[in-house]
Amino acid sequence: MAELPTSPLSPDSACKTTLYPRLCKSMLPNYGSNNLYNYGRLSVQKALSNAFGFSSLIDRKLKNRFLIPNNQVAALRDCKLLADLTTDYLLNTMATLNSTDNLSGAHADDVQTLLSAIVTNQQTCYEGLRASSPSNDLYAPLTNGSEIYSVSLALVTHASTPRERKRKQRKERGLLSELKVGRDGFPQWLSKEKHRIIQAGKRMLLQSDSVLVNDTVTVAQDGSGNFTTISDAINAAPNRTDVKNGYFVIYVLKGVYEEYVSIPKIKWNLMMVGDGINQTIITGNRSVVDGSTTFNSATFAVVGQGFVAMDMTFRNTAGPEKHQAVAVRNGADLSVFYHCSVEGYQDTLYTHSLRQFYRECDIYGTIDFIFGNAAVVFQNCNLYARMPMASQNNVFTAQGRTDPNQNTGTSILNCSVTASSDFAWNSSSVNSYLGRPWKEYSRTVYMKSFIDSLIDSSGWLPWSGDFALNTLYYGEFNNSGPGADTSKRVSWPGYHAIMNVTDAGNFTVSNFIMGDVWLPATSVEFHAGLDS
């Protein structure tokens, strides 16, 4: 029988749950026994101290930025943003751990999500620095921090009791009832009020039985709205608003907005609504070839929790020859993209971290065009491969899970996997794959989706040699279409032709991202289980 989290346990026994037992034992008291929960709490305290120290180290580096090449400065700025997020996540984790002696339910999922994101933040910083400089004195503290955070993740995860997934959790978080969407794709309250909002040209307070809206502003390039740029509207939004007090809605009228949009960590529960795919367009062309980091190449980036986007197009037009060029980078917890189009080539959609949901979206790209390490579900989406450069393969996903205790992965449910209209005629000349393992514990599943003939019969592509083939988790369940035949799929130990509903159910909206707890407040349609 497994030890209960509150049972006395020696540091040696506790640290066996981690990837770094020697480091773990050095972080815990070397006398007597404690319980796993308290060990986890102690490890998070150590992690928080490390995070403060690393953030200060980056600050000192940036003070001398005039002595550093520009590409390294860009990577350091990414690291600073990520380090600040890590500190916030650890402070939130510590507050939760100090408020109880039994981590369970939604709180357990929240804490594991935050600690998983912290490990991802470290990895992202490391990769950005490595791409800009072959040698850097930040590598050692980065590696040390990554190992400390991994220990905390393992201890806290194993100290958590299994979570319940009951309807009562909706009351636990104070979220709203399920909402309805009108025929035009807008929430019903917005369908009725949209034109009146434009005519009034001023902020309004809307409230209905279905959704709460704290305030509404409009963005119009012709000056008829409250703002002419999206960024100005975001800056006007209040900070750290609770979803129980309603969304701050930014209605973006149709037009092509050539601006780089960033929604920072202090802007919570923004809802951005456009006039439809290919009507409201945000576009940019940053790329790695032209000097950006992958992380900062995004046309649209969001980290403010509770973000919702509806009926918009997001583009990076750098083209395949510019290599990594992100259209959307999403590191916002409890975030949703509904009826949106995300368009690029290599690295189109960066699902960086935390819990995300995409419904009825079109996503276009070539190499690794859905990548990152969020816990993310794509439902009823269209995934389109485009024409890559000569001698390149198309790869739909490159999931970046680096630690077996992270609750992350990419779940693709009831979607369509096919070629874009301008590539379909020539798709047989390019090898296309469902995914490849960017990181050691890469995890991706395709379930009940249509897979077209462009997908190679092997299904999946190695990253390099036998890297991650034993530790990844790639699964397929009840897919259809000419590319869905699994009889000639790869024979890697980590590949699974999922045969039962129970295993497939682990990757649904309800079980994988606890979406039935938080999605009802967004107005977006979803299916909690495997039903389409």
Side-chain angles (χ1 to χ4, degrees):
M1 178 181 293
E3 293 283 351
L4 295 174
T6 54
S7 302
L9 204 64
S10 70
D12 279 352
S13 296
C15 289
K16 289 178 181 177
T17 66
T18 74
L19 293 180
Y20 307 100
R22 181 177 298 178
L23 173 64
C24 174
K25 285 186 282 187
S26 73
M27 294 167 58
L28 303 180
N30 58 6
Y31 52 86
S33 294
N34 213 317
N35 63 59
L36 193 56
Y37 189 86
N38 285 336
Y39 286 141
R41 187 156 40 196
L42 287 168
S43 73
V44 172
Q45 290 174 345
K46 298 276 190 181
L48 185 57
S49 176
N50 181 85
F52 280 125
F54 185 69
S55 183
S56 297
L57 180 58
I58 296 175
D59 284 338
R60 292 195 295 273
K61 290 281 187 182
L62 286 171
K63 284 182 180 179
N64 297 317
R65 62 186 178 276
F66 300 110
L67 304 175
I68 302 173
N70 287 338
N71 62 335
Q72 293 182 36
V73 172
L76 282 171
R77 285 175 173 157
D78 291 348
C79 288
K80 176 58 179 173
L81 185 154
L82 293 161
D84 287 347
L85 290 172
T86 288
T87 302
D88 289 349
Y89 298 162
L90 284 168
L91 287 169
N92 290 341
T93 297
M94 199 71 245
T96 300
L97 294 176
N98 285 337
S99 68
T100 179
D101 288 321
N102 183 16
L103 195 63
S104 62
H107 292 307
D109 192 74
D110 289 345
V111 166
Q112 188 182 13
T113 295
L114 291 175
L115 292 175
S116 295
I118 288 164
V119 173
T120 300
N121 289 348
Q122 289 290 107
Q123 184 66 32
T124 304
C125 173
Y126 181 87
E127 288 168 351
L129 289 173
R130 186 178 60 185
S132 67
S133 173
S135 62
N136 197 304
D137 58 0
L138 288 177
Y139 290 160
L142 264 171
T143 300
N144 185 56
S146 296
E147 294 176 357
I148 290 172
Y149 302 151
S150 175
V151 167
S152 293
L153 172 63
L155 292 174
V156 173
T157 298
H158 286 87
S160 303
T161 55
R163 68 189 183 195
E164 298 177 4
R165 301 183 182 95
K166 304 295 184 183
R167 292 286 179 179
K168 67 181 181 181
Q169 287 180 326
R170 295 188 179 188
K171 295 181 179 179
E172 181 180 322
R173 291 197 179 186
L175 297 182
L176 306 174
S177 59
E178 188 164 358
L179 309 175
K180 304 298 181 183
V181 174
R183 291 182 179 179
D184 61 358
F186 290 94
Q188 287 181 350
W189 60 267
L190 191 54
S191 299
K192 296 174 183 177
E193 299 287 348
K194 180 172 58 176
H195 300 295
R196 187 160 69 86
I197 293 170
I198 300 168
Q199 292 168 357
K202 62 182 182 181
R203 298 180 182 182
M204 300 180 62
L205 177 66
L206 301 176
Q207 183 171 340
S208 75
D209 293 336
S210 297
V211 69
L212 288 177
V213 178
N214 181 272
D215 208 348
T216 302
V217 298
T218 60
V219 179
Q221 291 176 318
D222 63 4
S224 62
N226 302 101
F227 302 96
T228 57
T229 71
I230 297 167
S231 297
D232 284 345
I234 292 167
N235 291 336
N239 297 336
R240 300 183 176 89
T241 55
D242 195 306
V243 69
K244 290 182 288 187
N245 297 325
Y247 286 96
F248 184 90
V249 178
I250 300 173
Y251 173 47
V252 186
L253 277 70
K254 67 179 179 180
V256 179
Y257 294 81
E258 296 181 1
E259 58 177 302
Y260 294 96
V261 178
S262 180
I263 300 177
K265 65 179 183 178
I266 58 174
K267 302 295 182 179
W268 298 357
N269 298 306
L270 298 190
M271 181 179 285
M272 190 174 292
V273 183
D275 271 328
I277 290 175
N278 292 329
Q279 297 299 309
T280 299
I281 301 167
I282 304 176
T283 185
N285 62 0
R286 287 176 179 161
S287 70
V288 167
V289 169
D290 286 338
S292 290
T293 62
T294 300
F295 186 81
N296 201 39
S297 68
T299 302
F300 187 92
V302 53
V303 293
Q305 68 182 44
F307 175 75
V308 181
M310 297 184 183
D311 290 275
M312 303 182 72
T313 291
F314 306 88
R315 286 181 182 155
N316 190 314
T317 61
E321 68 277 2
K322 294 300 179 72
H323 300 289
Q324 296 94 332
V326 176
V328 170
R329 188 191 81 235
N330 186 1
D333 199 19
L334 312 179
S335 57
V336 177
F337 283 73
Y338 173 64
H339 199 229
C340 291
S341 183
V342 187
E343 303 171 8
Y345 290 86
Q346 183 172 347
D347 290 3
T348 302
L349 174 57
Y350 196 171
T351 56
H352 181 263
S353 55
L354 304 168
R355 292 164 289 197
Q356 307 177 17
F357 180 64
Y358 297 76
R359 169 86 181 195
E360 295 175 31
C361 290
D362 299 334
I363 303 162
Y364 296 80
T366 54
I367 300 173
D368 306 336
F369 66 91
I370 298 173
F371 76 112
N373 195 25
V376 55
V377 176
F378 294 87
Q379 195 173 85
N380 294 53
C381 293
N382 298 308
L383 313 184
Y384 293 112
R386 306 176 87 169
M387 176 63 76
M389 294 174 65
S391 75
Q392 288 183 332
N393 298 312
N394 278 332
V395 186
F396 279 72
T397 66
Q399 205 282 327
R401 186 166 169 252
T402 61
D403 192 301
N405 291 300
Q406 289 178 306
N407 60 352
T408 55
T410 299
S411 174
I412 295 169
L413 174 61
N414 198 42
C415 293
S416 174
V417 177
T418 188
S420 63
S421 58
D422 58 350
F423 173 52
W425 66 274
N426 200 29
S427 61
S428 61
S429 66
V430 176
N431 293 326
S432 296
Y433 300 88
L434 297 173
R436 60 176 180 160
W438 183 28
K439 300 299 175 188
E440 189 171 2
Y441 295 93
S442 183
R443 181 160 64 173
T444 301
V445 296
Y446 287 79
M447 305 189 297
K448 299 185 71 174
S449 292
F450 174 82
I451 301 176
D452 213 342
S453 58
L454 80 163
I455 296 299
D456 188 86
S457 60
S458 62
W460 306 82
L461 184 69
W463 185 271
S464 178
D466 62 357
F467 170 74
L469 303 188
N470 293 321
T471 50
L472 60 79
Y473 185 99
Y474 286 167
E476 298 181 58
F477 174 76
N478 277 13
N479 296 307
S480 62
D485 182 4
T486 60
S487 64
K488 297 181 181 179
R489 288 297 196 248
V490 294
S491 57
W492 307 338
Y495 171 76
H496 304 269
I498 301 173
M499 304 304 294
N500 65 75
V501 171
T502 301
D503 290 343
N506 291 327
F507 300 99
T508 59
V509 164
S510 176
N511 291 340
F512 198 50
I513 58 173
M514 289 191 77
D516 55 345
V517 175
W518 55 274
L519 279 172
T522 69
S523 85
V524 172
E525 294 178 288
F526 69 94
H527 297 288
L530 290 169
D531 295 335
S532 58

